[in-house]
PDB file of all heavy atoms in Angstrom:
ATOM      1  N   ASP C 486     -10.932 -33.595  -7.772  1.00 91.00           N
ATOM      2  CA  ASP C 486     -11.082 -34.843  -7.029  1.00 91.00           C
ATOM      3  C   ASP C 486     -12.521 -34.995  -6.547  1.00 91.00           C
ATOM      4  O   ASP C 486     -13.119 -36.070  -6.648  1.00 91.00           O
ATOM      5  CB  ASP C 486     -10.153 -34.896  -5.819  1.00 91.00           C
ATOM      6  CG  ASP C 486      -8.715 -34.990  -6.242  1.00 91.00           C
ATOM      7  OD1 ASP C 486      -8.481 -35.271  -7.440  1.00 91.00           O
ATOM      8  OD2 ASP C 486      -7.835 -34.779  -5.397  1.00 91.00           O
ATOM      9  N   ALA C 487     -13.028 -33.890  -6.031  1.00 92.00           N
ATOM     10  CA  ALA C 487     -14.354 -33.956  -5.425  1.00 92.00           C
ATOM     11  C   ALA C 487     -15.411 -34.254  -6.485  1.00 92.00           C
ATOM     12  O   ALA C 487     -16.330 -35.024  -6.267  1.00 92.00           O
ATOM     13  CB  ALA C 487     -14.667 -32.651  -4.710  1.00 92.00           C
ATOM     14  N   ARG C 488     -15.262 -33.634  -7.631  1.00 91.00           N
ATOM     15  CA  ARG C 488     -16.266 -33.855  -8.690  1.00 91.00           C
ATOM     16  C   ARG C 488     -16.342 -35.324  -9.079  1.00 91.00           C
ATOM     17  O   ARG C 488     -17.395 -35.861  -9.393  1.00 91.00           O
ATOM     18  CB  ARG C 488     -15.906 -33.016  -9.916  1.00 91.00           C
ATOM     19  CG  ARG C 488     -16.547 -31.641  -9.940  1.00 91.00           C
ATOM     20  CD  ARG C 488     -16.537 -31.043 -11.337  1.00 91.00           C
ATOM     21  NE  ARG C 488     -17.543 -31.662 -12.197  1.00 91.00           N
ATOM     22  CZ  ARG C 488     -18.821 -31.258 -12.242  1.00 91.00           C
ATOM     23  NH1 ARG C 488     -19.211 -30.275 -11.485  1.00 91.00           N
ATOM     24  NH2 ARG C 488     -19.680 -31.862 -13.020  1.00 91.00           N
ATOM     25  N   ARG C 489     -15.169 -35.959  -9.090  1.00 91.00           N
ATOM     26  CA  ARG C 489     -15.172 -37.368  -9.484  1.00 91.00           C
ATOM     27  C   ARG C 489     -15.987 -38.229  -8.544  1.00 91.00           C
ATOM     28  O   ARG C 489     -16.568 -39.209  -8.924  1.00 91.00           O
ATOM     29  CB  ARG C 489     -13.728 -37.891  -9.474  1.00 91.00           C
ATOM     30  CG  ARG C 489     -12.932 -37.390 -10.646  1.00 91.00           C
ATOM     31  CD  ARG C 489     -11.561 -37.877 -10.499  1.00 91.00           C
ATOM     32  NE  ARG C 489     -10.747 -37.588 -11.646  1.00 91.00           N
ATOM     33  CZ  ARG C 489      -9.441 -37.815 -11.681  1.00 91.00           C
ATOM     34  NH1 ARG C 489      -8.849 -38.342 -10.642  1.00 91.00           N
ATOM     35  NH2 ARG C 489      -8.754 -37.519 -12.757  1.00 91.00           N
ATOM     36  N   ARG C 490     -15.974 -37.818  -7.243  1.00 90.00           N
ATOM     37  CA  ARG C 490     -16.696 -38.627  -6.294  1.00 90.00           C
ATOM     38  C   ARG C 490     -18.111 -38.143  -6.080  1.00 90.00           C
ATOM     39  O   ARG C 490     -18.884 -38.758  -5.380  1.00 90.00           O
ATOM     40  CB  ARG C 490     -15.996 -38.550  -4.927  1.00 90.00           C
ATOM     41  CG  ARG C 490     -14.589 -39.013  -5.034  1.00 90.00           C
ATOM     42  CD  ARG C 490     -14.127 -39.742  -3.825  1.00 90.00           C
ATOM     43  NE  ARG C 490     -12.710 -39.994  -4.048  1.00 90.00           N
ATOM     44  CZ  ARG C 490     -11.766 -39.175  -3.616  1.00 90.00           C
ATOM     45  NH1 ARG C 490     -12.063 -38.125  -2.909  1.00 90.00           N
ATOM     46  NH2 ARG C 490     -10.510 -39.441  -3.893  1.00 90.00           N
ATOM     47  N   ALA C 491     -18.458 -36.977  -6.667  1.00 90.00           N
ATOM     48  CA  ALA C 491     -19.681 -36.315  -6.282  1.00 90.00           C
ATOM     49  C   ALA C 491     -20.901 -36.801  -7.030  1.00 90.00           C
ATOM     50  O   ALA C 491     -22.011 -36.391  -6.738  1.00 90.00           O
ATOM     51  CB  ALA C 491     -19.539 -34.810  -6.455  1.00 90.00           C
ATOM     52  N   ALA C 492     -20.720 -37.716  -8.005  1.00 89.00           N
ATOM     53  CA  ALA C 492     -21.869 -38.130  -8.830  1.00 89.00           C
ATOM     54  C   ALA C 492     -23.058 -38.618  -7.987  1.00 89.00           C
ATOM     55  O   ALA C 492     -24.191 -38.168  -8.168  1.00 89.00           O
ATOM     56  CB  ALA C 492     -21.449 -39.189  -9.827  1.00 89.00           C
ATOM     57  N   PRO C 493     -22.833 -39.525  -7.000  1.00 88.00           N
ATOM     58  CA  PRO C 493     -23.966 -39.974  -6.191  1.00 88.00           C
ATOM     59  C   PRO C 493     -24.641 -38.828  -5.425  1.00 88.00           C
ATOM     60  O   PRO C 493     -25.874 -38.734  -5.374  1.00 88.00           O
ATOM     61  CB  PRO C 493     -23.342 -40.964  -5.201  1.00 88.00           C
ATOM     62  CG  PRO C 493     -21.997 -41.296  -5.712  1.00 88.00           C
ATOM     63  CD  PRO C 493     -21.578 -40.194  -6.612  1.00 88.00           C
ATOM     64  N   LEU C 494     -23.806 -37.913  -4.870  1.00 89.00           N
ATOM     65  CA  LEU C 494     -24.362 -36.798  -4.124  1.00 89.00           C
ATOM     66  C   LEU C 494     -25.194 -35.927  -5.043  1.00 89.00           C
ATOM     67  O   LEU C 494     -26.283 -35.467  -4.688  1.00 89.00           O
ATOM     68  CB  LEU C 494     -23.219 -35.990  -3.501  1.00 89.00           C
ATOM     69  CG  LEU C 494     -23.657 -34.808  -2.639  1.00 89.00           C
ATOM     70  CD1 LEU C 494     -24.409 -35.273  -1.421  1.00 89.00           C
ATOM     71  CD2 LEU C 494     -22.449 -33.972  -2.215  1.00 89.00           C
ATOM     72  N   ARG C 495     -24.668 -35.708  -6.262  1.00 88.00           N
ATOM     73  CA  ARG C 495     -25.416 -34.887  -7.206  1.00 88.00           C
ATOM     74  C   ARG C 495     -26.768 -35.504  -7.512  1.00 88.00           C
ATOM     75  O   ARG C 495     -27.778 -34.825  -7.575  1.00 88.00           O
ATOM     76  CB  ARG C 495     -24.599 -34.741  -8.498  1.00 88.00           C
ATOM     77  CG  ARG C 495     -23.624 -33.577  -8.452  1.00 88.00           C
ATOM     78  CD  ARG C 495     -23.213 -33.145  -9.860  1.00 88.00           C
ATOM     79  NE  ARG C 495     -22.458 -34.181 -10.567  1.00 88.00           N
ATOM     80  CZ  ARG C 495     -21.133 -34.262 -10.544  1.00 88.00           C
ATOM     81  NH1 ARG C 495     -20.437 -33.380  -9.853  1.00 88.00           N
ATOM     82  NH2 ARG C 495     -20.513 -35.218 -11.201  1.00 88.00           N
ATOM     83  N   ASP C 496     -26.785 -36.835  -7.644  1.00 87.00           N
ATOM     84  CA  ASP C 496     -28.037 -37.505  -7.922  1.00 87.00           C
ATOM     85  C   ASP C 496     -29.018 -37.311  -6.777  1.00 87.00           C
ATOM     86  O   ASP C 496     -30.198 -37.030  -6.960  1.00 87.00           O
ATOM     87  CB  ASP C 496     -27.806 -39.001  -8.135  1.00 87.00           C
ATOM     88  CG  ASP C 496     -27.062 -39.231  -9.447  1.00 87.00           C
ATOM     89  OD1 ASP C 496     -27.064 -38.283 -10.276  1.00 87.00           O
ATOM     90  OD2 ASP C 496     -26.483 -40.306  -9.630  1.00 87.00           O
ATOM     91  N   ARG C 497     -28.494 -37.436  -5.546  1.00 86.00           N
ATOM     92  CA  ARG C 497     -29.384 -37.274  -4.386  1.00 86.00           C
ATOM     93  C   ARG C 497     -29.966 -35.869  -4.341  1.00 86.00           C
ATOM     94  O   ARG C 497     -31.075 -35.674  -3.904  1.00 86.00           O
ATOM     95  CB  ARG C 497     -28.575 -37.538  -3.100  1.00 86.00           C
ATOM     96  CG  ARG C 497     -28.637 -38.984  -2.645  1.00 86.00           C
ATOM     97  CD  ARG C 497     -27.680 -39.182  -1.498  1.00 86.00           C
ATOM     98  NE  ARG C 497     -28.181 -38.664  -0.233  1.00 86.00           N
ATOM     99  CZ  ARG C 497     -27.393 -38.458   0.835  1.00 86.00           C
ATOM    100  NH1 ARG C 497     -26.118 -38.703   0.763  1.00 86.00           N
ATOM    101  NH2 ARG C 497     -27.915 -37.987   1.945  1.00 86.00           N
TER     102      ARG C 497
END
Side-chain angles (χ1 to χ4, degrees):
Chain C
D486 291 348
R488 269 199 75 85
R489 286 177 173 173
R490 301 216 186 92
L494 182 65
R495 274 201 294 268
D496 291 343
R497 268 173 77 196

